[in-house]
Amino acid sequence: MKKRSVDVRGLEAPEPLERILSELDSLQSDEQLDVTHWREPLLLYPILVERAWQYKTEYDEKARTYLISIWKDRQ
């Protein structure tokens, strides 16, 4: 699976959410979006579920950032 990355740290709301959703709109079926965020994007999760995206979130304590991987299951 190919990976695409977006770093939304430093952006003011609602820019991080908008940027992530924009990237997802252009994501190919064989790609995964890796997001680096300064806070956990709680408003994003229900949207991902509604749109049938899979995701995994990890917190990097050393960098104090959230790392969110988003992909679609191949059907």
Side-chain angles (χ1 to χ4, degrees):
M1 182 174 293
K2 299 177 198 171
K3 292 189 178 190
R4 189 189 307 183
S5 298
V6 63
D7 187 338
V8 296
R9 292 175 292 180
L11 299 178
E12 294 295 322
E15 284 185 77
L17 180 62
E18 292 171 349
R19 176 86 55 89
I20 293 166
L21 294 176
S22 176
E23 288 288 333
L24 290 176
D25 285 342
S26 65
L27 205 67
Q28 302 297 312
S29 61
D30 64 339
E31 290 183 305
Q32 170 179 309
L33 181 63
D34 291 333
V35 178
T36 305
H37 205 315
W38 66 279
R39 59 188 279 183
E40 189 169 15
L42 297 176
L43 296 177
L44 174 65
Y45 299 147
I47 296 169
L48 295 177
V49 169
E50 179 181 300
R51 297 182 182 182
W53 289 99
Q54 303 295 312
Y55 67 92
K56 180 176 94 170
T57 302
E58 296 178 6
Y59 182 69
D60 182 336
E61 288 189 36
K62 185 175 181 181
R64 297 174 60 177
T65 57
Y66 286 89
L67 309 170
I68 304 104
S69 298
I70 306 168
W71 68 95
K72 281 252 181 163
D73 276 338
R74 292 185 188 168
Q75 306 276 347

